[in-house]
């Protein structure tokens, strides 16, 4: 379409961003057995509203998790929960993760989350950070299965949407197989939880920082698979160490019987990898945007966000796209440009000009990379799918 003026073109592009934000492409797939096949793990300071929208430009089908919201923040935020826990229809299926240790407070939070329109609620029983330990929640709660069961039961009784639990394979000295089995038995039978997301490592509450807790404790995929066999009626999603499609495919075999595979750092460190996720794991067309098109949309999205939220900092909008060219030549130059606030100032603090300049720079350095398209389905998509794309 050739527009008569740049102003009309900009208006049309902004309208496209709004259309994307407010379109639920997954409403016909919410009951699918593939719903949790591949999911984006909750990550603090990463899986916020901005990052999740960027991921939806890459994959429509992977289930998204929010970063963790603490019970006190949800109930006492001065902005109100609707703004604090903001998400857009394009994010469906989207799961909100909650943290805390008060059954009554988390029951109230669950009601709020359901009213906001989240598809599921997940309780954090796996985070080992010092901040979480000081609040006596996260991985600490694995030592209190009775309390976890009570929390989940209160939350489940208050809402119609599923309430799930994400935990580790033990914590500190409580790290033998029987302990984990006993924990799941208690939370499933007394709390009613039917879906467990198991990070296939134990957690150390002392001596290791969050990064080390993601890398130092050995992965025990065999424990997760054994637990699934011992609890055939429960849904189990495995998490931890999955960075390639081959590793995800390798664990999601029919004989393993897992509900899905949750991926964390790979989504952040190499988001473009998942541009082929819908075709590979769901047999459906990928959204199909090139990285040039994604950055073009991101330029308008960022401009719109800055107009709506004058307090918004630049890193909130650059962090989601900083790894978009992972593995490509001159990726470092691209990252360097985005990460230098002086470049934004040189563009008169105009986000659209900033992104356009970045695109021009990278295009000169690596011709053709911006226009690489994700693989397409061999069969022609239906008209409905074409319209969705």
């Amino acid at each position: 379409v050739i527009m008569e003026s740049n102003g009309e073109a900009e208006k049309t592009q902004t309208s496209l961003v709004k259309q994307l934000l407010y379109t639920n492409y997954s409403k016909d797939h919410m009951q699918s057995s593939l719903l949790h096949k591949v999911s984006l793990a909750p990550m603090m300071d990463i899986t916020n509203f901005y990052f999740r929208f960027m991921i939806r430009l890459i994959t429509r089908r992977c289930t998204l998790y929010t970063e963790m919201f603490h019970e006190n923040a949800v109930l006492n935020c001065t902005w109100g929960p609707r703004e604090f826990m903001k998400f857009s229809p394009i994010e469906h299926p989207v799961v909100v993760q909650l943290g805390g240790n008060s059954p009554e407070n988390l029951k109230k939070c669950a009601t709020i989350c359901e009213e906001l329109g989240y598809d599921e609620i997940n309780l954090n029983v796996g985070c080992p950070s010092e901040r979480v330990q000081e609040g006596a929640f996260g991985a600490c709660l694995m030592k209190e299965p009775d309390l976890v069961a009570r929390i989940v039961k209160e939350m489940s009784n208050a809402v119609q949407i599923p309430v799930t639990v994400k935990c580790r394979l033990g914590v500190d000295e409580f790290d033998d197989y029987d302990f984990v089995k006993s924990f799941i038995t208690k939370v499933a039978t007394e709390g009613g939880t039917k879906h467990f997301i198991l990070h296939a490592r134990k957690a150390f509450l002392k001596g290791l920082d969050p990064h080390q807790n993601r890398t130092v404790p050995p992965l025990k995929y065999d424990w997760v698979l054994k637990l699934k066999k011992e609890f055939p009626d429960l849904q189990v999603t495995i998490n931890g160490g999955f960075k390639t499609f081959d590793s995800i495919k390798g664990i999601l075999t029919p004989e393993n019987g897992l509900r899905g595979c949750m991926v964390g750092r790979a989504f952040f460190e190499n988001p473009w990898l998942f541009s082929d996720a819908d075709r590979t794991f769901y047999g459906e067309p990928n959204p199909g945007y090139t990285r040039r098109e994604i950055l073009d949309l991101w330029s308008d999205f960022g401009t719109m966000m800055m107009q709506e939220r004058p307090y918004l900092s630049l890193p909130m909008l650059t962090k989601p796209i900083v790894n978009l060219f992972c593995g490509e030549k001159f990726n470092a130059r691209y990252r360097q440009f985005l990460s230098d606030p002086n470049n934004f100032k040189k563009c008169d603090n105009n986000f659209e000009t900033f992104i356009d300049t970045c695109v021009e720079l990278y295009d000169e350095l690596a011709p053709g990379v911006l226009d690489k398209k994700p693989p397409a389905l061999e069969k022609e998509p239906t008209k409905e799918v074409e319209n969705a794309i």
Side-chain angles (χ1 to χ4, degrees), residues 66-226:
T66 70
E67 56 186 341
M68 182 190 67
F69 296 110
H70 188 268
E71 57 185 28
N72 292 337
V74 175
L75 298 177
N76 302 315
C77 178
T78 55
W79 302 343
R82 184 168 296 278
E83 177 64 18
F84 178 59
M85 307 172 75
K86 183 182 180 70
F87 77 98
S88 60
I90 193 177
E91 294 180 43
H92 291 291
V94 57
V95 181
V96 58
Q97 188 181 67
L98 297 176
N101 59 17
S102 165
E104 186 60 32
N105 283 346
L106 285 165
K107 175 182 177 180
K108 294 175 183 176
C109 291
T111 302
I112 291 171
C113 292
E114 184 175 49
E115 290 173 351
L116 291 176
Y118 282 102
D119 298 305
E120 295 184 6
I121 300 166
N122 177 257
L123 179 66
N124 183 328
V125 192
C127 182
S129 74
E130 287 188 12
R131 183 172 56 175
V132 164
Q133 292 177 52
E134 290 170 1
F137 62 102
C140 303
L141 290 177
M142 285 204 74
K143 298 179 180 181
E144 301 184 65
D146 290 324
L147 176 58
V148 175
R150 192 151 61 92
I151 289 171
V152 173
K153 185 175 182 180
E154 289 288 338
M155 294 168 72
S156 298
N157 287 343
V159 298
Q160 299 299 311
I161 57 177
V163 177
T164 67
V165 168
K166 186 174 188 294
C167 63
R168 295 267 185 147
L169 296 183
V171 55
D172 291 338
E173 71 275 18
F174 301 92
D175 62 352
D176 61 85
Y177 180 83
D178 287 339
F179 168 77
V180 185
K181 181 180 175 181
S182 175
F183 175 85
I184 291 176
T185 300
K186 171 74 70 171
V187 177
T189 56
E190 296 185 15
T193 305
K194 294 180 172 58
H195 184 187
F196 288 82
I197 297 89
L198 301 179
H199 188 152
R201 291 184 173 96
K202 67 173 287 186
F204 287 92
L205 298 182
K206 300 294 181 183
L208 296 182
D209 61 30
H211 170 72
Q212 292 171 321
N213 259 301
R214 293 193 301 270
T215 55
V216 174
L219 287 162
K220 297 181 178 180
Y221 294 155
D222 56 324
W223 281 27
V224 176
L225 299 180
K226 185 178 178 181

Side-chain angles (χ1 to χ4, degrees), residues 37 245 249 273 275-284 286 375 377:
K37 191 169 186 180
F245 277 15
K249 290 177 184 176
L273 171 67
S275 65
D276 194 26
D278 293 359
R279 181 187 71 91
T280 301
F281 297 107
Y282 300 88
E284 297 186 18
N286 298 311
L377 277 178

